[in-house]
Amino acid sequence: MNILNRHEYDRRMHRVLDHIDRHLDRQLSVAELAEVAHFSAFHFHRMFTAWMGETVADHVRRRRLETAASRLASQPGVTVLQAALAAGFGSAEAFTRAFKLHFGLAPTAWRQAQQESKIGQVHSKIGQAGMPAAGHDDASTNHGEYSMIEVSIVERNPVHVAYLRKTGPYGPELGRFWGEVVYPWMATNNLLGLPRYGICLDDPTVTAPEQCRYDAAVEVPPERLLSGNPMRTVVPGGQYAVHRFRGPVEQVAGAWLALTRDWLPASGLQLDARPFVEHYPPDAAYDPATGVFEAELCMPVTRL
């Protein structure tokens, strides 16, 4: 397969994964997903399995369970039945069986274990675009500093971006990804100085490290031609809870944790299916000597 064909293949499959994540609350057929990808329904299942390393059904089930697990961990008021229905399961019983098979614990016991260990919903949803490596074994280390976190409810417009994706563990490798892959690509395409986004598509507390997807994105109009075969997408608009973070990399996980564990349950809002986003405006400061940086931590919310 030549480079151009490989890029088109990847682009179509990325579109399918995005479609799945946005429609986990309803049934998704192979025929529908094949149509999204513009591939033959007859061959799509085999192609998807070869590309993802798991069947369509296994992938959809895993994403439903991971999304439900994140909801249970971050929203104490959500019942097991509510989490099950929101994730596309027809009953709490079917959800509980699938959940226990995947995570090793029933949903209620798993939620209790998360609360006791203080892991929370976003142990390290961090990108650090163009910054030192991030990733923390104890996201609660700096939690007390953010007990009175300041949050604004912001209506954000959809944003067209070009992105490079990394699949694998979050943490230090993301800093290297920005520095060694993304920054040179941005420089080659004269993209330095434009708004950037770190988009974590999976929750590292529930998704296996090798399956975590991360997009390093730059805001560009869709018609702009770029070298390097980046993917294109739209960062969803809508309502976000935004915390304007300023501090060293060691504190960002504590800020994310405070947003989800402390602020969200008392807000009267809940998470929806859009991804968490770190927005780096063009004027966002970064001090390489101290590691202090600025970013907008954008958590997608909707009415409870």
Side-chain angles (χ1 to χ4, degrees):
M1 180 180 294
N2 63 42
I3 294 176
L4 180 60
N5 287 342
R6 177 62 193 224
H7 172 68
E8 177 62 17
Y9 182 84
D10 289 347
R11 186 184 68 82
R12 294 187 188 189
M13 285 300 188
H14 280 211
R15 190 164 58 203
V16 169
L17 297 183
D18 181 66
H19 184 84
I20 290 172
D21 280 352
R22 292 173 188 254
H23 299 92
L24 289 172
D25 59 342
R26 65 171 177 81
Q27 293 301 310
L28 293 164
S29 68
V30 170
E32 176 185 344
L33 299 178
E35 184 176 354
V36 170
H38 296 296
F39 282 135
S40 162
F42 182 78
H43 295 293
F44 174 75
H45 191 278
R46 178 178 294 178
M47 296 168 67
F48 184 95
T49 303
W51 193 73
M52 286 296 296
E54 57 186 345
T55 67
V56 174
D58 287 344
H59 177 80
V60 172
R61 184 184 305 109
R62 174 173 67 82
R63 290 297 299 132
R64 283 179 171 150
L65 290 169
E66 291 170 351
T67 300
S70 292
R71 188 181 297 271
L72 288 170
S74 64
Q75 298 174 231
V78 170
T79 67
V80 171
L81 178 59
Q82 289 170 333
L85 295 177
F89 286 87
S91 69
E93 291 76 16
F95 172 67
T96 297
R97 287 194 299 271
F99 193 99
K100 188 172 183 179
L101 185 64
H102 186 79
F103 290 104
L105 291 171
T108 301
W110 185 88
R111 169 188 261 173
Q112 183 62 33
Q114 299 302 296
Q115 292 172 345
E116 290 176 355
S117 63
K118 297 182 180 180
I119 293 178
Q121 203 269 342
V122 282
H123 179 71
S124 57
K125 277 186 176 294
I126 44 183
Q128 308 348 308
M131 302 187 186
H136 315 282
D137 292 331
D138 183 6
S140 64
T141 301
N142 300 292
H143 169 63
E145 186 170 345
Y146 290 96
S147 59
M148 299 298 290
I149 193 167
E150 294 185 3
V151 179
S152 300
I153 303 301
V154 175
E155 191 74 22
R156 294 185 61 90
N157 293 323
V159 176
H160 289 273
V161 296
Y163 69 89
L164 302 180
R165 175 167 295 181
K166 180 186 180 302
T167 301
Y170 293 164
E173 293 186 17
L174 295 185
R176 290 192 290 271
F177 179 59
W178 275 98
E180 298 173 6
V181 179
V182 182
Y183 184 87
W185 168 74
M186 290 176 61
T188 298
N189 286 279
N190 196 28
L191 300 176
L192 300 179
L194 295 176
R196 294 164 293 154
Y197 301 84
I199 307 170
C200 294
L201 298 169
D202 298 287
D203 181 345
T205 68
V206 298
T207 301
E210 67 274 10
Q211 293 176 315
C212 287
R213 298 162 296 158
Y214 175 86
D215 292 342
V218 183
E219 186 173 332
V220 292
E223 65 274 10
R224 180 167 175 178
L225 298 177
L226 299 171
S227 65
N229 289 326
M231 302 296 174
R232 307 284 186 135
T233 192
V234 175
V235 179
Q239 195 175 66
Y240 287 84
V242 177
H243 169 61
R244 288 175 170 80
F245 174 84
R246 178 180 173 84
V249 64
E250 292 81 10
Q251 293 180 0
V252 71
W256 272 122
L257 189 60
L259 268 172
T260 55
R261 191 177 65 185
D262 298 335
W263 181 86
L264 182 62
S267 68
L269 301 169
Q270 63 178 326
L271 301 176
D272 64 17
R274 293 169 293 159
F276 282 55
V277 176
E278 289 187 356
H279 173 221
Y280 301 91
D283 60 351
Y286 171 57
D287 184 350
T290 63
V292 172
F293 70 98
E294 295 177 341
E296 295 179 347
L297 310 186
C298 305
M299 181 173 66
V301 292
T302 188
R303 293 177 62 184
L304 189 62

